[in-house]
């Protein structure tokens, strides 16, 4: 098994359909579909079982920056430069709802583990918490002093993390609404974050080509990886928590072994 795992990767399939740069990719919870958001103003759902079948969601009027699946895969959320968040059913004739979430472009959207709450992040320097069913605003997190690139719930839904162009990673307690941890970066702004499956660590991809893994319980830097030669755009932990994947402007994907602390 281990021998097969570390064989050279092979191309299984490729999908063509967007006319602009792809901004984010997310697997559905059941692993049967991929959602892709794009600068061409659309989101496309790709069916992995049927290579020719896809659903195009074209309700946004400007570039789409992010997508998120609800935990059971019954809903999708997408966020856009048009300042809106749209929540929709991922099927051909599915219904959709829209709300004007921020006063400036929305960079990130994330469902909580219950599927009842949404977290949005925007160029208006804030992250906001919403109730999905009523499209109801709950609270705002405004400690950032520049664009908020991403905001994500922790695996248990009790904390959230934001990364901002003010060069910060902030951890908030959702019950109190207070910022309980702040990590600042001197070299460059963080572009994306990912929570470890255990909920005690956050990885950050930086514009200075680096990846940092922080312990949010003990408030310290755990690991630093200098494996890319250009800004890091996205991150994902393996479900086991032992590996971290990163994608960069240097046109590579890296797999990091967190136990060994090396690529």
């Amino acid at each position: 098994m281990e021998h097969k795992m570390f064989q050279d990767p092979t191309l299984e399939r490729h999908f063509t359909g967007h006319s602009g740069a792809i901004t984010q990719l997310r697997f559905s919870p059941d692993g049967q579909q991929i959602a892709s958001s794009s600068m061409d103003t659309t989101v496309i759902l790709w069916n992995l079982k049927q290579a020719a079948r896809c659903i195009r969601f074209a309700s946004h009027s400007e570039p789409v920056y992010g997508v998120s699946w609800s935990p059971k895969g019954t809903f999708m959320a997408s966020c856009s430069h048009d300042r809106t968040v749209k929540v929709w059913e991922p099927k051909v004739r599915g219904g959709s709802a829209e709300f004007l979430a921020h006063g400036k472009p929305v960079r990130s959207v994330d469902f909580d583990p219950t599927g009842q709450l949404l977290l949005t992040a925007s160029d208006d320097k804030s992250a906001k918490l919403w109730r999905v069913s009523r499209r109801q605003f709950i609270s705002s997190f405004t400690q950032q002093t520049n664009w908020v690139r991403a905001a994500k719930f922790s695996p248990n839904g009790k904390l959230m993390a934001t990364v901002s162009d003010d060069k910060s990673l902030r951890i908030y307690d959702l019950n109190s609404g207070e910022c309980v941890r702040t990590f600042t970066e001197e070299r460059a702004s963080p572009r994306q974050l990912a929570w470890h499956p255990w909920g005690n660590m956050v990885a950050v991809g930086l514009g200075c080509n680096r990846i940092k893994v922080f312990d949010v319980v003990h408030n310290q830097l755990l690991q630093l990886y200098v494996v890319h030669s250009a800004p890091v755009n996205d991150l994902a932990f393996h479900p086991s928590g032992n590996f971290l994947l990163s994608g960069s402007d240097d046109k590579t994907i890296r797999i990091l072994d967190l136990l060994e602390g090396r690529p």
Side-chain angles (χ1 to χ4, degrees):
M1 177 65 189
E2 189 166 312
H3 172 68
K4 286 184 179 179
M5 178 188 273
F6 292 107
Q7 285 180 337
D8 286 342
T10 57
L11 178 65
E12 187 168 307
R13 193 177 302 158
H14 74 275
F15 300 94
T16 306
H18 284 295
S19 60
I22 293 169
T23 52
Q24 199 162 67
L25 292 165
R26 292 291 180 263
F27 277 100
S28 61
D30 65 6
Q32 302 295 309
Q33 296 181 91
I34 299 173
S36 58
S37 58
S38 171
M39 297 296 285
D40 67 11
T41 77
T42 71
V43 176
I44 296 181
L45 300 183
W46 309 93
N47 190 316
L48 298 180
K49 297 294 183 184
Q50 300 165 278
R53 186 159 181 247
C54 69
I55 300 171
R56 185 187 303 271
F57 182 76
S59 184
H60 287 287
S61 60
E62 294 190 60
V64 186
Y65 293 133
V67 287
S68 179
W69 292 88
S70 66
K72 294 181 180 177
T74 48
F75 292 101
M76 286 288 310
S78 52
C79 61
S80 168
H81 194 89
D82 65 16
R83 301 178 293 157
T84 68
V85 167
K86 298 185 190 280
V87 179
W88 42 285
E89 293 178 282
K91 51 190 180 185
V92 175
R93 289 183 177 80
S96 67
E98 170 190 312
F99 53 99
L100 187 63
H102 290 268
K104 290 192 175 180
V106 188
R107 296 279 168 182
S108 163
V109 63
D110 190 41
F111 277 97
D112 86 320
T114 69
Q116 297 173 11
L117 301 175
L118 268 182
L119 198 53
T120 57
S122 168
D123 290 2
D124 67 7
K125 306 176 187 177
S126 75
K128 292 183 179 181
L129 185 65
W130 308 83
R131 194 172 308 285
V132 177
S133 58
R134 303 174 195 165
R135 286 169 279 170
Q136 175 189 15
F137 169 74
I138 299 173
S139 58
S140 189
F141 306 88
T142 57
Q143 279 88 341
Q144 298 80 207
T145 59
N146 208 326
W147 292 6
V148 186
R149 292 279 177 178
K152 291 186 178 179
F153 289 102
S154 64
N156 66 7
K158 293 181 179 179
L159 301 172
M160 63 165 257
T162 65
V163 287
S164 167
D165 279 13
D166 65 10
K167 299 183 180 177
S168 73
L169 161 67
R170 285 183 166 87
I171 310 296
Y172 291 89
D173 182 309
L174 285 168
N175 280 332
S176 67
E178 294 192 8
C179 180
V180 294
R181 296 277 188 274
T182 302
F183 303 91
T184 54
E185 175 60 39
E186 294 176 3
R187 288 170 174 257
S189 301
R191 290 191 168 193
Q192 187 56 274
L193 70 96
W195 281 92
H196 190 277
W198 301 347
N200 61 340
M201 292 177 275
V202 173
V204 175
L206 296 160
C208 60
N209 318 343
R210 297 177 168 210
I211 297 163
K212 289 187 174 182
V213 180
F214 294 97
D215 181 331
V216 299
V217 177
H218 299 103
N219 203 27
Q220 62 184 358
L221 175 66
L222 284 181
Q223 292 178 327
L224 166 66
Y225 295 95
V226 188
V227 293
H228 288 288
S229 59
V232 182
N233 292 317
D234 210 355
L235 299 160
F237 280 101
H238 187 274
S240 70
N242 295 336
F243 301 95
L244 178 67
L245 280 76
S246 59
S248 164
D249 279 354
D250 67 11
K251 305 179 185 177
T252 69
I253 292 171
R254 304 281 173 159
I255 301 175
L256 307 174
D257 185 326
L258 299 175
L259 299 180
E260 297 284 339
R262 61 177 176 79

mmCIF file of all heavy atoms in Angstrom, residues 141-177:
data_model
loop_
_atom_site.group_PDB
_atom_site.id
_atom_site.type_symbol
_atom_site.label_atom_id
_atom_site.label_comp_id
_atom_site.label_asym_id
_atom_site.label_seq_id
_atom_site.Cartn_x
_atom_site.Cartn_y
_atom_site.Cartn_z
ATOM 1 N N PHE A 141 -17.062 40.602 12.647
ATOM 2 C CA PHE A 141 -15.738 40.561 13.281
ATOM 3 C C PHE A 141 -14.861 41.576 12.542
ATOM 4 O O PHE A 141 -14.505 41.358 11.377
ATOM 5 C CB PHE A 141 -15.163 39.156 13.197
ATOM 6 C CG PHE A 141 -16.090 38.099 13.764
ATOM 7 C CD1 PHE A 141 -17.046 37.494 12.953
ATOM 8 C CD2 PHE A 141 -16.020 37.730 15.098
ATOM 9 C CE1 PHE A 141 -17.913 36.540 13.470
ATOM 10 C CE2 PHE A 141 -16.882 36.777 15.621
ATOM 11 C CZ PHE A 141 -17.835 36.182 14.805
ATOM 12 N N THR A 142 -14.540 42.668 13.215
ATOM 13 C CA THR A 142 -13.965 43.820 12.511
ATOM 14 C C THR A 142 -12.577 44.231 13.017
ATOM 15 O O THR A 142 -12.158 45.355 12.787
ATOM 16 C CB THR A 142 -14.922 45.023 12.637
ATOM 17 O OG1 THR A 142 -15.157 45.299 14.024
ATOM 18 C CG2 THR A 142 -16.243 44.748 11.956
ATOM 19 N N GLN A 143 -11.863 43.328 13.683
ATOM 20 C CA GLN A 143 -10.540 43.707 14.210
ATOM 21 C C GLN A 143 -9.486 43.842 13.114
ATOM 22 O O GLN A 143 -8.448 44.455 13.326
ATOM 23 C CB GLN A 143 -10.074 42.671 15.246
ATOM 24 C CG GLN A 143 -10.677 42.879 16.627
ATOM 25 C CD GLN A 143 -12.018 42.165 16.781
ATOM 26 O OE1 GLN A 143 -12.650 41.825 15.782
ATOM 27 N NE2 GLN A 143 -12.456 41.953 18.011
ATOM 28 N N GLN A 144 -9.730 43.260 11.925
ATOM 29 C CA GLN A 144 -8.755 43.352 10.853
ATOM 30 C C GLN A 144 -8.695 44.784 10.314
ATOM 31 O O GLN A 144 -9.713 45.492 10.291
ATOM 32 C CB GLN A 144 -9.108 42.390 9.708
ATOM 33 C CG GLN A 144 -9.108 40.923 10.081
ATOM 34 C CD GLN A 144 -10.374 40.471 10.801
ATOM 35 O OE1 GLN A 144 -10.339 39.527 11.560
ATOM 36 N NE2 GLN A 144 -11.501 41.124 10.559
ATOM 37 N N THR A 145 -7.527 45.200 9.852
ATOM 38 C CA THR A 145 -7.366 46.569 9.352
ATOM 39 C C THR A 145 -7.120 46.603 7.846
ATOM 40 O O THR A 145 -6.754 47.640 7.300
ATOM 41 C CB THR A 145 -6.212 47.277 10.077
ATOM 42 O OG1 THR A 145 -5.001 46.529 9.861
ATOM 43 C CG2 THR A 145 -6.468 47.380 11.566
ATOM 44 N N ASN A 146 -7.333 45.458 7.179
ATOM 45 C CA ASN A 146 -7.185 45.403 5.728
ATOM 46 C C ASN A 146 -8.095 44.283 5.211
ATOM 47 O O ASN A 146 -8.824 43.663 5.987
ATOM 48 C CB ASN A 146 -5.725 45.156 5.336
ATOM 49 C CG ASN A 146 -5.365 45.747 3.972
ATOM 50 O OD1 ASN A 146 -6.185 45.780 3.046
ATOM 51 N ND2 ASN A 146 -4.136 46.225 3.848
ATOM 52 N N TRP A 147 -8.053 44.030 3.909
ATOM 53 C CA TRP A 147 -8.882 42.975 3.307
ATOM 54 C C TRP A 147 -8.793 41.675 4.094
ATOM 55 O O TRP A 147 -7.703 41.287 4.530
ATOM 56 C CB TRP A 147 -8.408 42.663 1.894
ATOM 57 C CG TRP A 147 -8.624 43.738 0.879
ATOM 58 C CD1 TRP A 147 -9.089 45.001 1.078
ATOM 59 C CD2 TRP A 147 -8.359 43.621 -0.521
ATOM 60 N NE1 TRP A 147 -9.123 45.682 -0.106
ATOM 61 C CE2 TRP A 147 -8.684 44.867 -1.107
ATOM 62 C CE3 TRP A 147 -7.877 42.602 -1.327
ATOM 63 C CZ2 TRP A 147 -8.540 45.105 -2.467
ATOM 64 C CZ3 TRP A 147 -7.735 42.836 -2.686
ATOM 65 C CH2 TRP A 147 -8.072 44.071 -3.251
ATOM 66 N N VAL A 148 -9.915 40.985 4.252
ATOM 67 C CA VAL A 148 -9.916 39.652 4.850
ATOM 68 C C VAL A 148 -9.996 38.633 3.715
ATOM 69 O O VAL A 148 -10.978 38.583 2.978
ATOM 70 C CB VAL A 148 -11.091 39.462 5.833
ATOM 71 C CG1 VAL A 148 -10.966 38.117 6.543
ATOM 72 C CG2 VAL A 148 -11.118 40.595 6.864
ATOM 73 N N ARG A 149 -8.935 37.864 3.563
ATOM 74 C CA ARG A 149 -8.828 36.922 2.440
ATOM 75 C C ARG A 149 -9.660 35.659 2.648
ATOM 76 O O ARG A 149 -10.183 35.083 1.692
ATOM 77 C CB ARG A 149 -7.372 36.525 2.232
ATOM 78 C CG ARG A 149 -6.493 37.636 1.740
ATOM 79 C CD ARG A 149 -6.631 37.832 0.259
ATOM 80 N NE ARG A 149 -5.828 38.948 -0.223
ATOM 81 C CZ ARG A 149 -5.751 39.307 -1.497
ATOM 82 N NH1 ARG A 149 -6.440 38.640 -2.400
ATOM 83 N NH2 ARG A 149 -5.019 40.330 -1.872
ATOM 84 N N ALA A 150 -9.734 35.186 3.898
ATOM 85 C CA ALA A 150 -10.468 33.943 4.161
ATOM 86 C C ALA A 150 -10.908 33.916 5.617
ATOM 87 O O ALA A 150 -10.253 34.489 6.490
ATOM 88 C CB ALA A 150 -9.587 32.724 3.861
ATOM 89 N N ALA A 151 -12.032 33.240 5.856
ATOM 90 C CA ALA A 151 -12.532 33.001 7.207
ATOM 91 C C ALA A 151 -13.117 31.598 7.237
ATOM 92 O O ALA A 151 -13.915 31.246 6.367
ATOM 93 C CB ALA A 151 -13.582 34.037 7.593
ATOM 94 N N LYS A 152 -12.713 30.797 8.226
ATOM 95 C CA LYS A 152 -13.167 29.400 8.271
ATOM 96 C C LYS A 152 -13.485 28.961 9.693
ATOM 97 O O LYS A 152 -12.785 29.320 10.635
ATOM 98 C CB LYS A 152 -12.100 28.466 7.675
ATOM 99 C CG LYS A 152 -11.937 28.640 6.168
ATOM 100 C CD LYS A 152 -10.995 27.613 5.594
ATOM 101 C CE LYS A 152 -10.877 27.771 4.078
ATOM 102 N NZ LYS A 152 -9.933 26.791 3.508
ATOM 103 N N PHE A 153 -14.546 28.134 9.794
ATOM 104 C CA PHE A 153 -14.911 27.527 11.064
ATOM 105 C C PHE A 153 -13.908 26.439 11.434
ATOM 106 O O PHE A 153 -13.394 25.734 10.563
ATOM 107 C CB PHE A 153 -16.289 26.872 10.968
ATOM 108 C CG PHE A 153 -17.446 27.823 10.864
ATOM 109 C CD1 PHE A 153 -18.059 28.068 9.648
ATOM 110 C CD2 PHE A 153 -17.939 28.466 12.002
ATOM 111 C CE1 PHE A 153 -19.138 28.935 9.552
ATOM 112 C CE2 PHE A 153 -19.016 29.326 11.914
ATOM 113 C CZ PHE A 153 -19.622 29.567 10.686
ATOM 114 N N SER A 154 -13.675 26.278 12.741
ATOM 115 C CA SER A 154 -12.911 25.130 13.226
ATOM 116 C C SER A 154 -13.762 23.874 13.055
ATOM 117 O O SER A 154 -14.989 23.961 12.881
ATOM 118 C CB SER A 154 -12.544 25.325 14.694
ATOM 119 O OG SER A 154 -13.718 25.360 15.501
ATOM 120 N N PRO A 155 -13.151 22.685 13.088
ATOM 121 C CA PRO A 155 -13.913 21.446 12.879
ATOM 122 C C PRO A 155 -15.088 21.252 13.831
ATOM 123 O O PRO A 155 -16.088 20.640 13.457
ATOM 124 C CB PRO A 155 -12.854 20.351 13.077
ATOM 125 C CG PRO A 155 -11.568 21.002 12.668
ATOM 126 C CD PRO A 155 -11.694 22.420 13.144
ATOM 127 N N ASN A 156 -14.996 21.774 15.054
ATOM 128 C CA ASN A 156 -16.128 21.629 15.990
ATOM 129 C C ASN A 156 -17.085 22.824 15.952
ATOM 130 O O ASN A 156 -18.100 22.840 16.654
ATOM 131 C CB ASN A 156 -15.642 21.381 17.423
ATOM 132 C CG ASN A 156 -14.893 22.573 18.009
ATOM 133 O OD1 ASN A 156 -14.818 23.654 17.431
ATOM 134 N ND2 ASN A 156 -14.313 22.375 19.185
ATOM 135 N N GLY A 157 -16.761 23.837 15.129
ATOM 136 C CA GLY A 157 -17.643 24.981 14.967
ATOM 137 C C GLY A 157 -17.617 25.990 16.099
ATOM 138 O O GLY A 157 -18.385 26.952 16.092
ATOM 139 N N LYS A 158 -16.729 25.826 17.079
ATOM 140 C CA LYS A 158 -16.705 26.727 18.229
ATOM 141 C C LYS A 158 -15.764 27.924 18.035
ATOM 142 O O LYS A 158 -15.903 28.949 18.694
ATOM 143 C CB LYS A 158 -16.301 25.953 19.491
ATOM 144 C CG LYS A 158 -17.348 24.924 19.921
ATOM 145 C CD LYS A 158 -16.930 24.203 21.185
ATOM 146 C CE LYS A 158 -18.002 23.205 21.603
ATOM 147 N NZ LYS A 158 -17.625 22.466 22.830
ATOM 148 N N LEU A 159 -14.804 27.761 17.133
ATOM 149 C CA LEU A 159 -13.859 28.835 16.832
ATOM 150 C C LEU A 159 -13.929 29.164 15.346
ATOM 151 O O LEU A 159 -14.446 28.396 14.550
ATOM 152 C CB LEU A 159 -12.429 28.417 17.191
ATOM 153 C CG LEU A 159 -12.123 28.037 18.633
ATOM 154 C CD1 LEU A 159 -10.701 27.476 18.731
ATOM 155 C CD2 LEU A 159 -12.285 29.230 19.565
ATOM 156 N N MET A 160 -13.389 30.309 14.992
ATOM 157 C CA MET A 160 -13.190 30.628 13.580
ATOM 158 C C MET A 160 -11.841 31.307 13.431
ATOM 159 O O MET A 160 -11.299 31.859 14.402
ATOM 160 C CB MET A 160 -14.296 31.527 13.052
ATOM 161 C CG MET A 160 -14.365 32.887 13.703
ATOM 162 S SD MET A 160 -15.382 34.066 12.802
ATOM 163 C CE MET A 160 -14.155 35.076 12.011
ATOM 164 N N ALA A 161 -11.305 31.227 12.227
ATOM 165 C CA ALA A 161 -10.010 31.851 11.952
ATOM 166 C C ALA A 161 -10.137 32.742 10.741
ATOM 167 O O ALA A 161 -10.882 32.439 9.799
ATOM 168 C CB ALA A 161 -8.945 30.779 11.709
ATOM 169 N N THR A 162 -9.428 33.865 10.757
ATOM 170 C CA THR A 162 -9.375 34.755 9.598
ATOM 171 C C THR A 162 -7.924 35.029 9.226
ATOM 172 O O THR A 162 -7.049 35.061 10.105
ATOM 173 C CB THR A 162 -10.059 36.108 9.877
ATOM 174 O OG1 THR A 162 -9.334 36.818 10.894
ATOM 175 C CG2 THR A 162 -11.510 35.930 10.310
ATOM 176 N N VAL A 163 -7.671 35.231 7.941
ATOM 177 C CA VAL A 163 -6.377 35.757 7.488
ATOM 178 C C VAL A 163 -6.647 37.027 6.692
ATOM 179 O O VAL A 163 -7.594 37.101 5.913
ATOM 180 C CB VAL A 163 -5.573 34.746 6.642
ATOM 181 C CG1 VAL A 163 -5.016 33.650 7.516
ATOM 182 C CG2 VAL A 163 -6.398 34.158 5.510
ATOM 183 N N SER A 164 -5.780 38.013 6.922
ATOM 184 C CA SER A 164 -6.030 39.341 6.369
ATOM 185 C C SER A 164 -4.769 39.923 5.752
ATOM 186 O O SER A 164 -3.643 39.542 6.101
ATOM 187 C CB SER A 164 -6.545 40.258 7.486
ATOM 188 O OG SER A 164 -6.520 41.613 7.100
ATOM 189 N N ASP A 165 -4.980 40.899 4.858
ATOM 190 C CA ASP A 165 -3.858 41.616 4.268
ATOM 191 C C ASP A 165 -3.178 42.551 5.269
ATOM 192 O O ASP A 165 -2.195 43.204 4.918
ATOM 193 C CB ASP A 165 -4.318 42.407 3.041
ATOM 194 C CG ASP A 165 -4.415 41.530 1.801
ATOM 195 O OD1 ASP A 165 -4.373 40.298 1.944
ATOM 196 O OD2 ASP A 165 -4.541 42.076 0.677
ATOM 197 N N ASP A 166 -3.688 42.621 6.499
ATOM 198 C CA ASP A 166 -2.945 43.331 7.550
ATOM 199 C C ASP A 166 -1.858 42.433 8.153
ATOM 200 O O ASP A 166 -1.270 42.759 9.178
ATOM 201 C CB ASP A 166 -3.877 43.876 8.633
ATOM 202 C CG ASP A 166 -4.593 42.783 9.432
ATOM 203 O OD1 ASP A 166 -4.246 41.598 9.287
ATOM 204 O OD2 ASP A 166 -5.517 43.123 10.199
ATOM 205 N N LYS A 167 -1.616 41.282 7.470
ATOM 206 C CA LYS A 167 -0.571 40.316 7.829
ATOM 207 C C LYS A 167 -0.872 39.553 9.115
ATOM 208 O O LYS A 167 0.049 39.171 9.851
ATOM 209 C CB LYS A 167 0.807 41.001 7.922
ATOM 210 C CG LYS A 167 1.260 41.628 6.609
ATOM 211 C CD LYS A 167 2.649 42.224 6.725
ATOM 212 C CE LYS A 167 3.094 42.840 5.401
ATOM 213 N NZ LYS A 167 4.413 43.476 5.515
ATOM 214 N N SER A 168 -2.149 39.318 9.370
ATOM 215 C CA SER A 168 -2.524 38.629 10.602
ATOM 216 C C SER A 168 -3.297 37.350 10.333
ATOM 217 O O SER A 168 -3.987 37.210 9.320
ATOM 218 C CB SER A 168 -3.390 39.548 11.474
ATOM 219 O OG SER A 168 -4.694 39.682 10.905
ATOM 220 N N LEU A 169 -3.145 36.414 11.282
ATOM 221 C CA LEU A 169 -4.054 35.279 11.462
ATOM 222 C C LEU A 169 -4.716 35.511 12.804
ATOM 223 O O LEU A 169 -4.041 35.662 13.818
ATOM 224 C CB LEU A 169 -3.271 33.961 11.474
ATOM 225 C CG LEU A 169 -3.989 32.741 12.096
ATOM 226 C CD1 LEU A 169 -5.182 32.300 11.255
ATOM 227 C CD2 LEU A 169 -3.016 31.580 12.281
ATOM 228 N N ARG A 170 -6.058 35.557 12.805
ATOM 229 C CA ARG A 170 -6.788 35.785 14.050
ATOM 230 C C ARG A 170 -7.719 34.614 14.336
ATOM 231 O O ARG A 170 -8.350 34.087 13.421
ATOM 232 C CB ARG A 170 -7.586 37.085 13.983
ATOM 233 C CG ARG A 170 -6.743 38.339 14.105
ATOM 234 C CD ARG A 170 -7.608 39.602 14.116
ATOM 235 N NE ARG A 170 -6.852 40.767 14.551
ATOM 236 C CZ ARG A 170 -6.119 41.539 13.744
ATOM 237 N NH1 ARG A 170 -6.058 41.261 12.459
ATOM 238 N NH2 ARG A 170 -5.452 42.583 14.213
ATOM 239 N N ILE A 171 -7.783 34.229 15.600
ATOM 240 C CA ILE A 171 -8.686 33.171 16.050
ATOM 241 C C ILE A 171 -9.756 33.805 16.928
ATOM 242 O O ILE A 171 -9.430 34.531 17.873
ATOM 243 C CB ILE A 171 -7.931 32.084 16.861
ATOM 244 C CG1 ILE A 171 -6.676 31.610 16.110
ATOM 245 C CG2 ILE A 171 -8.869 30.915 17.175
ATOM 246 C CD1 ILE A 171 -6.932 30.921 14.806
ATOM 247 N N TYR A 172 -11.021 33.538 16.612
ATOM 248 C CA TYR A 172 -12.144 34.103 17.365
ATOM 249 C C TYR A 172 -12.930 33.000 18.068
ATOM 250 O O TYR A 172 -13.110 31.911 17.512
ATOM 251 C CB TYR A 172 -13.101 34.846 16.434
ATOM 252 C CG TYR A 172 -12.569 36.116 15.845
ATOM 253 C CD1 TYR A 172 -11.871 36.108 14.638
ATOM 254 C CD2 TYR A 172 -12.787 37.346 16.464
ATOM 255 C CE1 TYR A 172 -11.392 37.279 14.067
ATOM 256 C CE2 TYR A 172 -12.308 38.526 15.902
ATOM 257 C CZ TYR A 172 -11.620 38.488 14.705
ATOM 258 O OH TYR A 172 -11.153 39.655 14.159
ATOM 259 N N ASP A 173 -13.416 33.324 19.254
ATOM 260 C CA ASP A 173 -14.375 32.475 19.961
ATOM 261 C C ASP A 173 -15.766 32.904 19.501
ATOM 262 O O ASP A 173 -16.156 34.059 19.674
ATOM 263 C CB ASP A 173 -14.222 32.675 21.470
ATOM 264 C CG ASP A 173 -15.155 31.780 22.268
ATOM 265 O OD1 ASP A 173 -16.373 31.776 21.980
ATOM 266 O OD2 ASP A 173 -14.682 31.100 23.188
ATOM 267 N N LEU A 174 -16.520 31.980 18.899
ATOM 268 C CA LEU A 174 -17.803 32.358 18.321
ATOM 269 C C LEU A 174 -18.866 32.643 19.373
ATOM 270 O O LEU A 174 -19.802 33.394 19.122
ATOM 271 C CB LEU A 174 -18.288 31.270 17.357
ATOM 272 C CG LEU A 174 -17.540 31.263 16.020
ATOM 273 C CD1 LEU A 174 -17.844 30.008 15.232
ATOM 274 C CD2 LEU A 174 -17.877 32.497 15.213
ATOM 275 N N ASN A 175 -18.741 32.052 20.554
ATOM 276 C CA ASN A 175 -19.717 32.331 21.613
ATOM 277 C C ASN A 175 -19.603 33.769 22.117
ATOM 278 O O ASN A 175 -20.598 34.482 22.244
ATOM 279 C CB ASN A 175 -19.553 31.362 22.789
ATOM 280 C CG ASN A 175 -20.196 30.023 22.512
ATOM 281 O OD1 ASN A 175 -21.153 29.939 21.750
ATOM 282 N ND2 ASN A 175 -19.666 28.970 23.113
ATOM 283 N N SER A 176 -18.388 34.192 22.381
ATOM 284 C CA SER A 176 -18.177 35.539 22.920
ATOM 285 C C SER A 176 -17.983 36.583 21.828
ATOM 286 O O SER A 176 -18.171 37.772 22.054
ATOM 287 C CB SER A 176 -16.955 35.549 23.845
ATOM 288 O OG SER A 176 -15.764 35.311 23.099
ATOM 289 N N GLY A 177 -17.573 36.123 20.634
ATOM 290 C CA GLY A 177 -17.277 37.055 19.550
ATOM 291 C C GLY A 177 -15.922 37.715 19.689
ATOM 292 O O GLY A 177 -15.564 38.596 18.911
#
